[in-house]
Amino acid sequence: MRSGGTIAAAIEGSLVDTARAYSRPDVPAGLAGTFGCKAAAVFFATLQNGMSLLARDGVGDDVPMAVAWSGGGPFEGMTRGHRRG
């Protein structure tokens, strides 16, 4: 995850980067079929919903930020074999 900025900007940036990577013409068409797109979507939705619930319940800013940072490692693991350049 990029440092600085907001959690929303970091998530949006990651999603844009992912969409851009999968839109490249030099990436084999079958690649999307080997990546768990639904699993990634569920992962991000769960992470975001959890942060929303925490914020709603009035926790400090550090708690949702810790949740966001904790999602970086698993996402890196999900995408590790699917990145180029």
Side-chain angles (χ1 to χ4, degrees):
M1 185 181 301
R2 297 179 183 123
S3 60
T6 65
I7 293 171
I11 292 171
E12 182 179 350
S14 179
L15 293 175
V16 168
D17 289 348
T18 302
R20 187 175 294 126
Y22 285 100
S23 298
R24 290 176 33 190
D26 61 327
V27 177
L31 183 60
T34 64
F35 179 72
C37 295
K38 288 182 182 179
V42 168
F43 174 79
F44 273 116
T46 303
L47 197 66
Q48 186 174 13
N49 288 337
M51 290 186 296
S52 295
L53 291 171
L54 289 167
R56 179 203 66 194
D57 292 346
V59 299
D61 293 344
D62 58 327
V63 176
M65 185 61 79
V67 172
W69 280 106
S70 71
F75 184 72
E76 290 290 322
M78 290 172 71
T79 60
R80 184 169 294 121
H82 300 282
R83 287 187 252 151
R84 289 189 181 182

